[in-house]
């Protein structure tokens, strides 16, 4: 489908709450509408710490990206990018290494509609945007946008932040299978940074949140610490291992103690491929 200029028409489905826009609201963004704010309000009524959980998740993205760039990674594949919220991943990576290359991927046309904000690169680096679903990893690692931007024979930092809880297990452990396929496509020295919602600390509130998302058409699958750890199988975890987003290498050690486990409601970790 195209408009009168032949441009694809993006159906923003403003009448339905959407995970990317609910998250944008939690981060204090402006790309959200009444249905999103109503759903966000229902989430906050059962889990007021959702604002904290969103912030510390985003800050984990910032610190892990910065440390990966400092460790020498120059290629970044970010899947489940979300609506742009400065600083975006390329701004962090290119702040450390101006020649860093970044491919953003999301399956949501709403994110595509805002992709222009993701494409501002340093002159030395490059950023690209791909609309694709993480459940089709083969399509991602063979996409022209990826192959024109990243050299997959050299290390890549893959980030799957606050994404895989939107991928159900199905009947064949699909979420873990998908991550294994992505890991297998990357060479030694690559890295995986990931955060993921859990019901380990406040099961009742989390169950009510998954009902709110289900009403908006989105399935949320919480995973335990052991299930989260399994995403990193075969790769070497960076210190401090499997932890909570705010406890992953905090800039100020005090930051790691201001938030309770129940408020964080998420695990986070980074690992390297041997
Ligand atoms: C909570 S946001 C996370 C944004 C960002 N990664 C962060 O942590 O700040 C989740 C994003 O994942 C995207 N998403 C959900 N399911 C997806 C799928 N199957 N494939 C690709 N993206 C997906 C949503 O559209 C949304 O933009």
């Amino acid at each position: 489908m195209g408009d009168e200029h032949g441009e694809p028409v993006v159906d923003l489905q403003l009448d339905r709450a959407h995970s990317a826009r609910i998250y944008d609201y939690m981060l204090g963004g402006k790309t959200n509408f009444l249905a999103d704010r109503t759903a966000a309000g229902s989430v906050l009524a059962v889990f007021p710490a959702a604002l904290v959980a969103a912030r510390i998740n985003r800050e984990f993205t910032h610190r892990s990206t910065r440390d990966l760039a400092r460790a020498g990674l120059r290629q970044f594949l970010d899947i489940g990018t979300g609506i742009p919220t400065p600083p975006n991943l390329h701004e962090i990576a290119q702040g450390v290494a101006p020649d860093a290359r970044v491919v953003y991927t999301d399956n949501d046309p709403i994110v595509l509609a805002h992709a222009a904000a993701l494409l501002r690169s340093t002159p030395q680096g490059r950023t690209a945007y791909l609309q694709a679903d993480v459940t089709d990893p083969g399509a991602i690692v063979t996409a022209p946008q990826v192959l024109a931007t990243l050299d997959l024979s050299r290390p890549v930092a893959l980030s799957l932040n606050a994404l895989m809880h939107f991928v159900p297990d199905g009947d064949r452990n699909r979420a873990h299978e998908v991550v294994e396929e992505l890991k297998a496509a990357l060479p030694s020295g690559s890295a995986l940074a990931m955060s993921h919602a859990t019901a380990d600390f406040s099961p009742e509130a989390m169950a009510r949140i998954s009902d709110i998302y289900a009403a908006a058409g989105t399935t949320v699958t919480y995973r335990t610490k052991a299930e989260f750890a399994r995403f990193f199988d075969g790769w070497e975890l960076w210190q401090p291992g499997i932890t909570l987003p705010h406890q992953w290498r905090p800039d100020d050690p005090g930051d790691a103690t201001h938030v309770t486990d129940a408020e964080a409601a998420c695990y986070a970790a980074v690992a390297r491929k041997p």
Side-chain angles (χ1 to χ4, degrees):
M1 283 280 285
D3 65 9
E4 70 272 25
H5 307 295
E7 295 295 327
V9 174
V10 176
D11 179 3
L12 298 179
Q13 300 183 324
L14 299 185
D15 54 331
R16 273 182 48 186
H18 192 277
S19 66
R21 294 186 305 227
I22 295 174
Y23 183 67
D24 175 77
Y25 176 83
M26 298 293 182
L27 288 176
K30 293 190 171 58
T31 311
N32 50 75
F33 300 87
L34 184 61
D36 311 305
R37 292 193 283 272
T38 303
S42 305
V43 169
L44 288 169
V46 296
F47 185 58
L51 297 173
V52 175
R55 175 178 58 77
I56 63 171
N57 175 72
R58 190 74 187 168
E59 290 170 353
F60 164 73
T61 301
H62 297 161
R63 294 194 307 282
S64 56
T65 302
R66 179 197 64 194
D67 283 10
L68 287 162
R70 284 181 181 167
L73 272 295
R74 293 292 176 268
Q75 308 195 93
F76 293 80
L77 175 57
D78 178 54
I79 309 181
T81 295
I83 291 164
T85 306
N88 293 294
L89 192 147
H90 72 281
E91 292 157 328
I92 302 277
Q94 293 178 346
V96 176
D99 58 340
R101 294 175 168 223
V102 178
V103 177
Y104 290 111
T105 303
D106 204 287
N107 70 342
D108 190 325
I110 294 154
V111 179
L112 174 67
H114 295 278
L118 299 170
L119 297 174
R120 296 188 196 111
S121 171
T122 54
Q124 304 95 313
R126 193 182 295 181
T127 72
Y129 181 80
L130 167 68
Q131 189 173 359
D133 199 298
V134 71
T135 59
D136 189 359
I140 294 176
V141 298
T142 56
Q145 293 93 324
V146 171
L147 299 180
T149 311
L150 307 179
D151 173 357
L152 297 188
S153 69
R154 298 171 61 82
V156 173
L158 170 66
S159 50
L160 306 174
N161 291 328
L163 169 66
M164 294 308 293
H165 45 244
F166 295 120
V167 179
D169 284 329
D171 53 2
R172 285 185 306 130
N173 251 339
R174 187 64 191 141
H176 285 86
E177 212 174 70
V178 159
V179 174
E180 284 309 314
E181 285 175 40
L182 289 166
K183 286 162 65 187
L186 304 178
S188 168
S190 293
L192 170 62
M194 189 168 173
S195 60
H196 192 299
T198 186
D200 284 2
F201 309 114
S202 15
E204 282 161 27
M206 294 303 122
R208 291 174 69 185
I209 291 173
S210 69
D211 289 344
I212 295 164
Y213 275 85
T218 299
T219 303
V220 179
T221 304
Y222 300 113
R223 294 191 171 88
T224 64
K225 187 174 187 181
E227 287 166 339
F228 177 67
R230 210 148 56 71
F231 284 115
F232 299 90
D233 273 1
W235 289 30
E236 292 160 356
L237 285 166
W238 265 8
Q239 288 300 329
I242 307 285
T243 186
L244 309 182
H246 59 297
Q247 291 170 350
W248 195 91
R249 302 187 178 189
D251 287 335
D252 173 351
D255 293 346
T257 55
H258 291 155
V259 176
T260 64
D261 295 1
E263 288 170 327
C266 238
Y267 289 114
V270 175
R272 287 295 288 267
K273 185 169 186 171

